[in-house]
Amino acid sequence: MNRFPAAEDLELALGDPHRPTGPLTFGTAMAGDHAERWPHSSLDRLRTWGYPAHLVPASLGGRLTSLEELLALGRVVARRDPTAAVIANSPWASGTPVWLAGTPAQQRDYADAVLRGQWMSLALTEYDKGADLLSSDLTARRVSGGYVLDGAKWVINNIRLARFVCLLVREPSMTGLRSLTLLLVDMERLPAGSYELLPRIHTHGIRGADISGMRFLDAFVPSSAVLGRPGRGLDLTIRSLITIRTLVPGLSLGAFDTGLHCAFDALRDRRVRQGRAIDLPHVREELAAADLDLRVAETLATCCVRILQHLPALAPVASAVAKYLVPHLAEQRLRRLAGVLGARYLLRQDHWYGVYEKLVRDTRLFSLFDGSEPVVLSSLAAQVSCLTEPGADPRAADEVFRPDFTPQPYPSGFAALGTACDLDPVTAGLEDACAGLERGTGSARAAALLRQAGRDLLADARRDVDPRSEDGLRVGERYARTFAAVCLARSEPAPWLAAGVESLLRPGAPVRRETAESLFQDLAARHAGRPALSMSRPA
């Protein structure tokens, strides 16, 4: 069961997603996906339950104190429809600059709007700039009492529906890293004719989301719209993205949950060779490997979101690790299971009306949200030198790995959240983690792999590597996998833990047969008693 009562309550309130009709059911999700329709009924159901209150810090009248709880809530919704989960959580994500640096008045106005169920947007990217934020063409000229905006933002979620937009702009009078400023723009106060909403953009995944753009035409906004300080927009944006990236894995976990359930269900009911597909050895091994990856991803996501609240100075590393590995594991494993399902994976009238195919498409977007794989791996490569710095105390991270972890209320302590990491107390505990593997699981093999990974990573940290090069990306991935393996090894002992460490450090290697069979039996036991859930074919 989920350790958070709110997530358990939401799970019960939403009920069985296989109901023929109703909000947040697979049928409704698929109908909306085919029509590329905004999920009105699902979002209304979440609003009725009180979901917006969980997006606002308790200090501002909401119910948000733990980001781990928010991760769990997002996972519950994403199990039913990743599109609805992305939209439902966007007011919190878009508001991270407000929670981190807004004035009391800005925070109050934004929080009240979220609690009323209004939508928000975080507008960073432009048509031909991609992730190159420093090249922003949307300018903000200083005038008496404020700024005049000219230019456009593109591929932005919710911007045509937003009450508030956190907008990254370039000040022409400033240069370099100090040329960017973040503004909190109240769309209801923009002068008529000073902006235009651009047409909706159609996407392969998350098809029901309203993704588009906006062009500003000599639009005046007051000086009170500045978030933080003028010229510090890049720093605030990076700190906000670090926070958001740590929560995106919850959506991947929800899609992964349902994808594994769907694949198990389809293979359990499929007859081959006068038997069931699920009784074939390679099918059992693939399902077991998927279940192992899900456990690894869940443990890593939990550790990293705890680090964000308990050790925010380490969050620049932990957020990149979680943002790379959890969506990557989910995406790669769902694609591999699609191969096991075979041609039937492509049929829209089976496997819950194509839910599995939708999940494959949607998880691909999670690896791109708020930083693609190359972006986050490059950021890790740029920080790997922190491993050579003395003074990292492994005991500083102990609290993160305790089952009864209780964080300070969000966003307390976030003043320590920077844009780069000086010390890494998690990886500093690698030797203790190896000893724990040997004691807790008797796995000398996993411990030896982790020790070697640590030596290789330290050698990388001592080299001068261009983070943007192919070599740099490989270093970033080694850091991510070693960091994640240490997190697993330092977590509460479990029978599968050593296998999880090995799977991280030897990606693609098969799970040992006895371990795979044990994992499969546990997966089958969790599905025992569940009826066949495949929807009947449409007339």
Side-chain angles (χ1 to χ4, degrees), residues 49-92:
W49 179 79
Y51 202 88
H54 292 272
L55 308 176
V56 174
S59 59
L60 291 165
R63 299 184 62 182
L64 174 58
T65 58
S66 164
L67 292 180
E68 188 180 351
E69 179 179 64
L70 183 57
L71 183 96
L73 288 167
R75 183 177 181 177
V76 169
V77 182
R79 283 192 189 111
R80 291 157 169 83
D81 183 6
T83 300
V86 167
I87 299 169
N89 285 278
S90 61
W92 171 81

mmCIF file of all heavy atoms in Angstrom, residues 49-92:
data_model
loop_
_atom_site.group_PDB
_atom_site.id
_atom_site.type_symbol
_atom_site.label_atom_id
_atom_site.label_comp_id
_atom_site.label_asym_id
_atom_site.label_seq_id
_atom_site.Cartn_x
_atom_site.Cartn_y
_atom_site.Cartn_z
ATOM 1 N N TRP A 49 -12.287 16.177 -6.168
ATOM 2 C CA TRP A 49 -11.615 15.461 -5.075
ATOM 3 C C TRP A 49 -10.750 16.401 -4.232
ATOM 4 O O TRP A 49 -10.535 16.162 -3.041
ATOM 5 C CB TRP A 49 -10.746 14.340 -5.645
ATOM 6 C CG TRP A 49 -9.996 13.570 -4.602
ATOM 7 C CD1 TRP A 49 -10.479 12.583 -3.796
ATOM 8 C CD2 TRP A 49 -8.620 13.755 -4.228
ATOM 9 N NE1 TRP A 49 -9.487 12.123 -2.951
ATOM 10 C CE2 TRP A 49 -8.337 12.822 -3.194
ATOM 11 C CE3 TRP A 49 -7.603 14.598 -4.667
ATOM 12 C CZ2 TRP A 49 -7.079 12.733 -2.607
ATOM 13 C CZ3 TRP A 49 -6.354 14.503 -4.077
ATOM 14 C CH2 TRP A 49 -6.101 13.571 -3.065
ATOM 15 N N GLY A 50 -10.265 17.477 -4.819
ATOM 16 C CA GLY A 50 -9.417 18.424 -4.097
ATOM 17 C C GLY A 50 -7.971 18.408 -4.520
ATOM 18 O O GLY A 50 -7.087 18.868 -3.781
ATOM 19 N N TYR A 51 -7.701 17.940 -5.732
ATOM 20 C CA TYR A 51 -6.314 17.825 -6.201
ATOM 21 C C TYR A 51 -5.568 19.165 -6.205
ATOM 22 O O TYR A 51 -4.386 19.207 -5.807
ATOM 23 C CB TYR A 51 -6.299 17.207 -7.604
ATOM 24 C CG TYR A 51 -4.990 16.561 -7.964
ATOM 25 C CD1 TYR A 51 -4.733 15.228 -7.647
ATOM 26 C CD2 TYR A 51 -4.007 17.275 -8.632
ATOM 27 C CE1 TYR A 51 -3.527 14.625 -7.987
ATOM 28 C CE2 TYR A 51 -2.797 16.687 -8.971
ATOM 29 C CZ TYR A 51 -2.563 15.360 -8.643
ATOM 30 O OH TYR A 51 -1.364 14.773 -8.976
ATOM 31 N N PRO A 52 -6.185 20.281 -6.624
ATOM 32 C CA PRO A 52 -5.431 21.541 -6.645
ATOM 33 C C PRO A 52 -4.816 21.924 -5.306
ATOM 34 O O PRO A 52 -3.741 22.537 -5.269
ATOM 35 C CB PRO A 52 -6.474 22.570 -7.090
ATOM 36 C CG PRO A 52 -7.424 21.781 -7.939
ATOM 37 C CD PRO A 52 -7.531 20.450 -7.235
ATOM 38 N N ALA A 53 -5.466 21.548 -4.201
ATOM 39 C CA ALA A 53 -4.917 21.900 -2.887
ATOM 40 C C ALA A 53 -3.579 21.215 -2.636
ATOM 41 O O ALA A 53 -2.733 21.743 -1.895
ATOM 42 C CB ALA A 53 -5.910 21.519 -1.782
ATOM 43 N N HIS A 54 -3.359 20.056 -3.254
ATOM 44 C CA HIS A 54 -2.105 19.329 -3.068
ATOM 45 C C HIS A 54 -0.978 19.885 -3.918
ATOM 46 O O HIS A 54 0.155 19.395 -3.846
ATOM 47 C CB HIS A 54 -2.319 17.848 -3.375
ATOM 48 C CG HIS A 54 -3.193 17.159 -2.370
ATOM 49 N ND1 HIS A 54 -2.705 16.585 -1.217
ATOM 50 C CD2 HIS A 54 -4.540 16.973 -2.340
ATOM 51 C CE1 HIS A 54 -3.706 16.068 -0.522
ATOM 52 N NE2 HIS A 54 -4.826 16.294 -1.183
ATOM 53 N N LEU A 55 -1.264 20.913 -4.711
ATOM 54 C CA LEU A 55 -0.248 21.568 -5.530
ATOM 55 C C LEU A 55 0.243 22.862 -4.907
ATOM 56 O O LEU A 55 1.165 23.495 -5.426
ATOM 57 C CB LEU A 55 -0.823 21.871 -6.922
ATOM 58 C CG LEU A 55 -1.484 20.699 -7.661
ATOM 59 C CD1 LEU A 55 -2.094 21.189 -8.965
ATOM 60 C CD2 LEU A 55 -0.496 19.573 -7.914
ATOM 61 N N VAL A 56 -0.350 23.262 -3.800
ATOM 62 C CA VAL A 56 -0.049 24.543 -3.149
ATOM 63 C C VAL A 56 0.546 24.277 -1.772
ATOM 64 O O VAL A 56 -0.018 23.498 -0.993
ATOM 65 C CB VAL A 56 -1.328 25.401 -3.022
ATOM 66 C CG1 VAL A 56 -1.059 26.672 -2.222
ATOM 67 C CG2 VAL A 56 -1.872 25.740 -4.403
ATOM 68 N N PRO A 57 1.682 24.912 -1.438
ATOM 69 C CA PRO A 57 2.271 24.709 -0.108
ATOM 70 C C PRO A 57 1.285 25.014 1.012
ATOM 71 O O PRO A 57 0.451 25.922 0.905
ATOM 72 C CB PRO A 57 3.443 25.699 -0.095
ATOM 73 C CG PRO A 57 3.810 25.862 -1.538
ATOM 74 C CD PRO A 57 2.513 25.782 -2.292
ATOM 75 N N ALA A 58 1.395 24.229 2.075
ATOM 76 C CA ALA A 58 0.486 24.398 3.208
ATOM 77 C C ALA A 58 0.586 25.805 3.793
ATOM 78 O O ALA A 58 -0.400 26.345 4.302
ATOM 79 C CB ALA A 58 0.798 23.353 4.277
ATOM 80 N N SER A 59 1.760 26.410 3.706
ATOM 81 C CA SER A 59 1.940 27.761 4.232
ATOM 82 C C SER A 59 1.122 28.789 3.470
ATOM 83 O O SER A 59 0.931 29.914 3.941
ATOM 84 C CB SER A 59 3.423 28.152 4.185
ATOM 85 O OG SER A 59 3.907 28.089 2.847
ATOM 86 N N LEU A 60 0.608 28.415 2.278
ATOM 87 C CA LEU A 60 -0.197 29.325 1.459
ATOM 88 C C LEU A 60 -1.638 28.839 1.334
ATOM 89 O O LEU A 60 -2.360 29.256 0.433
ATOM 90 C CB LEU A 60 0.429 29.468 0.074
ATOM 91 C CG LEU A 60 1.758 30.232 0.042
ATOM 92 C CD1 LEU A 60 2.473 30.013 -1.285
ATOM 93 C CD2 LEU A 60 1.508 31.719 0.284
ATOM 94 N N GLY A 61 -2.050 27.963 2.238
ATOM 95 C CA GLY A 61 -3.442 27.526 2.263
ATOM 96 C C GLY A 61 -3.712 26.209 1.567
ATOM 97 O O GLY A 61 -4.867 25.770 1.524
ATOM 98 N N GLY A 62 -2.669 25.572 1.021
ATOM 99 C CA GLY A 62 -2.858 24.281 0.368
ATOM 100 C C GLY A 62 -2.574 23.131 1.315
ATOM 101 O O GLY A 62 -2.580 23.283 2.534
ATOM 102 N N ARG A 63 -2.279 21.963 0.724
ATOM 103 C CA ARG A 63 -2.010 20.774 1.536
ATOM 104 C C ARG A 63 -0.662 20.152 1.197
ATOM 105 O O ARG A 63 -0.368 19.034 1.607
ATOM 106 C CB ARG A 63 -3.126 19.736 1.319
ATOM 107 C CG ARG A 63 -4.502 20.242 1.725
ATOM 108 C CD ARG A 63 -5.560 19.158 1.577
ATOM 109 N NE ARG A 63 -5.291 18.018 2.436
ATOM 110 C CZ ARG A 63 -6.041 16.914 2.474
ATOM 111 N NH1 ARG A 63 -7.091 16.810 1.676
ATOM 112 N NH2 ARG A 63 -5.734 15.918 3.283
ATOM 113 N N LEU A 64 0.166 20.867 0.450
ATOM 114 C CA LEU A 64 1.448 20.331 0.022
ATOM 115 C C LEU A 64 2.521 20.592 1.076
ATOM 116 O O LEU A 64 2.855 21.748 1.356
ATOM 117 C CB LEU A 64 1.862 20.959 -1.316
ATOM 118 C CG LEU A 64 3.265 20.618 -1.847
ATOM 119 C CD1 LEU A 64 3.447 19.124 -2.010
ATOM 120 C CD2 LEU A 64 3.529 21.345 -3.158
ATOM 121 N N THR A 65 3.035 19.511 1.643
ATOM 122 C CA THR A 65 4.191 19.597 2.542
ATOM 123 C C THR A 65 5.310 18.684 2.059
ATOM 124 O O THR A 65 6.481 19.005 2.201
ATOM 125 C CB THR A 65 3.823 19.203 3.986
ATOM 126 O OG1 THR A 65 3.294 17.867 3.998
ATOM 127 C CG2 THR A 65 2.786 20.161 4.566
ATOM 128 N N SER A 66 4.946 17.543 1.459
ATOM 129 C CA SER A 66 5.920 16.541 1.051
ATOM 130 C C SER A 66 5.903 16.364 -0.465
ATOM 131 O O SER A 66 4.867 16.028 -1.045
ATOM 132 C CB SER A 66 5.606 15.195 1.726
ATOM 133 O OG SER A 66 6.291 14.137 1.100
ATOM 134 N N LEU A 67 7.058 16.563 -1.110
ATOM 135 C CA LEU A 67 7.145 16.317 -2.545
ATOM 136 C C LEU A 67 7.071 14.829 -2.864
ATOM 137 O O LEU A 67 6.661 14.444 -3.959
ATOM 138 C CB LEU A 67 8.429 16.921 -3.099
ATOM 139 C CG LEU A 67 8.497 18.441 -3.102
ATOM 140 C CD1 LEU A 67 9.825 18.932 -3.668
ATOM 141 C CD2 LEU A 67 7.339 19.050 -3.873
ATOM 142 N N GLU A 68 7.434 13.988 -1.914
ATOM 143 C CA GLU A 68 7.276 12.545 -2.121
ATOM 144 C C GLU A 68 5.798 12.179 -2.224
ATOM 145 O O GLU A 68 5.412 11.316 -3.020
ATOM 146 C CB GLU A 68 7.952 11.776 -0.986
ATOM 147 C CG GLU A 68 8.009 10.276 -1.227
ATOM 148 C CD GLU A 68 8.677 9.512 -0.089
ATOM 149 O OE1 GLU A 68 9.256 10.142 0.819
ATOM 150 O OE2 GLU A 68 8.610 8.268 -0.104
ATOM 151 N N GLU A 69 4.970 12.858 -1.439
ATOM 152 C CA GLU A 69 3.529 12.634 -1.547
ATOM 153 C C GLU A 69 3.007 13.123 -2.904
ATOM 154 O O GLU A 69 2.177 12.456 -3.539
ATOM 155 C CB GLU A 69 2.796 13.356 -0.424
ATOM 156 C CG GLU A 69 1.281 13.172 -0.490
ATOM 157 C CD GLU A 69 0.566 13.880 0.649
ATOM 158 O OE1 GLU A 69 0.642 15.125 0.704
ATOM 159 O OE2 GLU A 69 -0.054 13.189 1.475
ATOM 160 N N LEU A 70 3.502 14.271 -3.371
ATOM 161 C CA LEU A 70 3.082 14.771 -4.676
ATOM 162 C C LEU A 70 3.514 13.800 -5.782
ATOM 163 O O LEU A 70 2.768 13.571 -6.737
ATOM 164 C CB LEU A 70 3.687 16.155 -4.918
ATOM 165 C CG LEU A 70 3.279 16.859 -6.221
ATOM 166 C CD1 LEU A 70 1.772 17.007 -6.329
ATOM 167 C CD2 LEU A 70 3.958 18.222 -6.322
ATOM 168 N N LEU A 71 4.692 13.215 -5.656
ATOM 169 C CA LEU A 71 5.147 12.194 -6.596
ATOM 170 C C LEU A 71 4.168 11.027 -6.618
ATOM 171 O O LEU A 71 3.798 10.515 -7.685
ATOM 172 C CB LEU A 71 6.541 11.709 -6.191
ATOM 173 C CG LEU A 71 7.210 10.684 -7.100
ATOM 174 C CD1 LEU A 71 8.141 11.379 -8.085
ATOM 175 C CD2 LEU A 71 8.023 9.678 -6.291
ATOM 176 N N ALA A 72 3.718 10.607 -5.431
ATOM 177 C CA ALA A 72 2.784 9.480 -5.336
ATOM 178 C C ALA A 72 1.431 9.826 -5.940
ATOM 179 O O ALA A 72 0.807 8.988 -6.611
ATOM 180 C CB ALA A 72 2.622 9.067 -3.873
ATOM 181 N N LEU A 73 0.954 11.041 -5.731
ATOM 182 C CA LEU A 73 -0.331 11.453 -6.306
ATOM 183 C C LEU A 73 -0.264 11.485 -7.831
ATOM 184 O O LEU A 73 -1.187 11.025 -8.515
ATOM 185 C CB LEU A 73 -0.727 12.828 -5.764
ATOM 186 C CG LEU A 73 -1.165 12.880 -4.298
ATOM 187 C CD1 LEU A 73 -1.221 14.321 -3.815
ATOM 188 C CD2 LEU A 73 -2.523 12.214 -4.114
ATOM 189 N N GLY A 74 0.828 12.035 -8.365
ATOM 190 C CA GLY A 74 0.987 12.057 -9.811
ATOM 191 C C GLY A 74 1.013 10.663 -10.397
ATOM 192 O O GLY A 74 0.466 10.412 -11.481
ATOM 193 N N ARG A 75 1.628 9.732 -9.679
ATOM 194 C CA ARG A 75 1.687 8.339 -10.143
ATOM 195 C C ARG A 75 0.297 7.713 -10.194
ATOM 196 O O ARG A 75 -0.023 6.986 -11.140
ATOM 197 C CB ARG A 75 2.602 7.549 -9.210
ATOM 198 C CG ARG A 75 2.820 6.095 -9.608
ATOM 199 C CD ARG A 75 3.805 5.428 -8.670
ATOM 200 N NE ARG A 75 4.052 4.046 -9.024
ATOM 201 C CZ ARG A 75 4.919 3.255 -8.400
ATOM 202 N NH1 ARG A 75 5.641 3.739 -7.388
ATOM 203 N NH2 ARG A 75 5.094 1.995 -8.777
ATOM 204 N N VAL A 76 -0.526 8.003 -9.206
ATOM 205 C CA VAL A 76 -1.898 7.458 -9.187
ATOM 206 C C VAL A 76 -2.661 7.914 -10.427
ATOM 207 O O VAL A 76 -3.344 7.118 -11.083
ATOM 208 C CB VAL A 76 -2.631 7.896 -7.903
ATOM 209 C CG1 VAL A 76 -4.127 7.581 -7.997
ATOM 210 C CG2 VAL A 76 -2.030 7.197 -6.689
ATOM 211 N N VAL A 77 -2.571 9.192 -10.762
ATOM 212 C CA VAL A 77 -3.304 9.715 -11.922
ATOM 213 C C VAL A 77 -2.714 9.172 -13.215
ATOM 214 O O VAL A 77 -3.440 8.784 -14.133
ATOM 215 C CB VAL A 77 -3.303 11.253 -11.917
ATOM 216 C CG1 VAL A 77 -4.099 11.790 -13.106
ATOM 217 C CG2 VAL A 77 -3.889 11.787 -10.615
ATOM 218 N N ALA A 78 -1.378 9.122 -13.305
ATOM 219 C CA ALA A 78 -0.729 8.658 -14.534
ATOM 220 C C ALA A 78 -1.013 7.191 -14.812
ATOM 221 O O ALA A 78 -0.941 6.760 -15.970
ATOM 222 C CB ALA A 78 0.768 8.896 -14.458
ATOM 223 N N ARG A 79 -1.333 6.415 -13.795
ATOM 224 C CA ARG A 79 -1.728 5.023 -14.029
ATOM 225 C C ARG A 79 -2.958 4.945 -14.921
ATOM 226 O O ARG A 79 -3.130 4.010 -15.689
ATOM 227 C CB ARG A 79 -2.058 4.326 -12.705
ATOM 228 C CG ARG A 79 -0.891 3.903 -11.867
ATOM 229 C CD ARG A 79 -1.343 2.972 -10.753
ATOM 230 N NE ARG A 79 -0.251 2.727 -9.815
ATOM 231 C CZ ARG A 79 -0.204 3.169 -8.578
ATOM 232 N NH1 ARG A 79 -1.203 3.896 -8.112
ATOM 233 N NH2 ARG A 79 0.821 2.897 -7.814
ATOM 234 N N ARG A 80 -3.810 5.951 -14.821
ATOM 235 C CA ARG A 80 -5.069 5.946 -15.555
ATOM 236 C C ARG A 80 -4.978 6.713 -16.871
ATOM 237 O O ARG A 80 -5.552 6.304 -17.867
ATOM 238 C CB ARG A 80 -6.165 6.532 -14.667
ATOM 239 C CG ARG A 80 -6.494 5.614 -13.489
ATOM 240 C CD ARG A 80 -7.119 6.372 -12.329
ATOM 241 N NE ARG A 80 -7.644 5.434 -11.342
ATOM 242 C CZ ARG A 80 -6.911 4.854 -10.403
ATOM 243 N NH1 ARG A 80 -5.608 5.115 -10.331
ATOM 244 N NH2 ARG A 80 -7.447 4.003 -9.557
ATOM 245 N N ASP A 81 -4.258 7.832 -16.834
ATOM 246 C CA ASP A 81 -4.118 8.628 -18.051
ATOM 247 C C ASP A 81 -2.946 9.594 -17.879
ATOM 248 O O ASP A 81 -3.069 10.605 -17.170
ATOM 249 C CB ASP A 81 -5.400 9.405 -18.339
ATOM 250 C CG ASP A 81 -5.313 10.185 -19.648
ATOM 251 O OD1 ASP A 81 -4.317 10.024 -20.370
ATOM 252 O OD2 ASP A 81 -6.247 10.956 -19.938
ATOM 253 N N PRO A 82 -1.802 9.323 -18.506
ATOM 254 C CA PRO A 82 -0.668 10.247 -18.391
ATOM 255 C C PRO A 82 -0.989 11.656 -18.848
ATOM 256 O O PRO A 82 -0.431 12.631 -18.325
ATOM 257 C CB PRO A 82 0.397 9.596 -19.288
ATOM 258 C CG PRO A 82 0.063 8.135 -19.270
ATOM 259 C CD PRO A 82 -1.442 8.083 -19.227
ATOM 260 N N THR A 83 -1.891 11.796 -19.827
ATOM 261 C CA THR A 83 -2.258 13.136 -20.289
ATOM 262 C C THR A 83 -2.885 13.944 -19.166
ATOM 263 O O THR A 83 -2.507 15.095 -18.907
ATOM 264 C CB THR A 83 -3.229 13.055 -21.479
ATOM 265 O OG1 THR A 83 -2.605 12.341 -22.543
ATOM 266 C CG2 THR A 83 -3.639 14.434 -21.957
ATOM 267 N N ALA A 84 -3.857 13.343 -18.484
ATOM 268 C CA ALA A 84 -4.507 14.030 -17.366
ATOM 269 C C ALA A 84 -3.506 14.326 -16.254
ATOM 270 O O ALA A 84 -3.579 15.378 -15.602
ATOM 271 C CB ALA A 84 -5.663 13.187 -16.832
ATOM 272 N N ALA A 85 -2.549 13.422 -16.039
ATOM 273 C CA ALA A 85 -1.562 13.629 -14.980
ATOM 274 C C ALA A 85 -0.656 14.815 -15.293
ATOM 275 O O ALA A 85 -0.346 15.626 -14.411
ATOM 276 C CB ALA A 85 -0.728 12.361 -14.804
ATOM 277 N N VAL A 86 -0.219 14.935 -16.545
ATOM 278 C CA VAL A 86 0.635 16.062 -16.936
ATOM 279 C C VAL A 86 -0.101 17.380 -16.713
ATOM 280 O O VAL A 86 0.445 18.336 -16.141
ATOM 281 C CB VAL A 86 1.054 15.921 -18.415
ATOM 282 C CG1 VAL A 86 1.675 17.223 -18.930
ATOM 283 C CG2 VAL A 86 2.041 14.773 -18.574
ATOM 284 N N ILE A 87 -1.354 17.449 -17.175
ATOM 285 C CA ILE A 87 -2.112 18.693 -17.051
ATOM 286 C C ILE A 87 -2.417 18.999 -15.588
ATOM 287 O O ILE A 87 -2.258 20.139 -15.132
ATOM 288 C CB ILE A 87 -3.413 18.603 -17.868
ATOM 289 C CG1 ILE A 87 -3.090 18.389 -19.351
ATOM 290 C CG2 ILE A 87 -4.256 19.860 -17.675
ATOM 291 C CD1 ILE A 87 -4.300 18.023 -20.187
ATOM 292 N N ALA A 88 -2.843 17.984 -14.833
ATOM 293 C CA ALA A 88 -3.251 18.197 -13.447
ATOM 294 C C ALA A 88 -2.107 18.719 -12.593
ATOM 295 O O ALA A 88 -2.320 19.520 -11.674
ATOM 296 C CB ALA A 88 -3.796 16.893 -12.858
ATOM 297 N N ASN A 89 -0.870 18.281 -12.873
ATOM 298 C CA ASN A 89 0.270 18.698 -12.066
ATOM 299 C C ASN A 89 0.954 19.958 -12.580
ATOM 300 O O ASN A 89 1.859 20.481 -11.929
ATOM 301 C CB ASN A 89 1.288 17.553 -11.986
ATOM 302 C CG ASN A 89 0.840 16.450 -11.054
ATOM 303 O OD1 ASN A 89 0.996 16.541 -9.845
ATOM 304 N ND2 ASN A 89 0.260 15.402 -11.619
ATOM 305 N N SER A 90 0.522 20.454 -13.735
ATOM 306 C CA SER A 90 1.195 21.605 -14.328
ATOM 307 C C SER A 90 1.111 22.888 -13.492
ATOM 308 O O SER A 90 2.067 23.685 -13.515
ATOM 309 C CB SER A 90 0.673 21.857 -15.742
ATOM 310 O OG SER A 90 -0.713 22.143 -15.747
ATOM 311 N N PRO A 91 0.031 23.154 -12.740
ATOM 312 C CA PRO A 91 0.052 24.380 -11.929
ATOM 313 C C PRO A 91 1.173 24.400 -10.893
ATOM 314 O O PRO A 91 1.748 25.456 -10.613
ATOM 315 C CB PRO A 91 -1.336 24.387 -11.272
ATOM 316 C CG PRO A 91 -2.202 23.623 -12.232
ATOM 317 C CD PRO A 91 -1.314 22.539 -12.739
ATOM 318 N N TRP A 92 1.490 23.231 -10.309
ATOM 319 C CA TRP A 92 2.616 23.189 -9.375
ATOM 320 C C TRP A 92 3.930 23.396 -10.125
ATOM 321 O O TRP A 92 4.760 24.217 -9.732
ATOM 322 C CB TRP A 92 2.677 21.854 -8.632
ATOM 323 C CG TRP A 92 3.944 21.734 -7.844
ATOM 324 C CD1 TRP A 92 4.209 22.276 -6.613
ATOM 325 C CD2 TRP A 92 5.174 21.125 -8.281
ATOM 326 N NE1 TRP A 92 5.512 22.035 -6.252
ATOM 327 C CE2 TRP A 92 6.130 21.331 -7.252
ATOM 328 C CE3 TRP A 92 5.556 20.431 -9.424
ATOM 329 C CZ2 TRP A 92 7.431 20.855 -7.347
ATOM 330 C CZ3 TRP A 92 6.862 19.951 -9.517
ATOM 331 C CH2 TRP A 92 7.790 20.164 -8.489
#
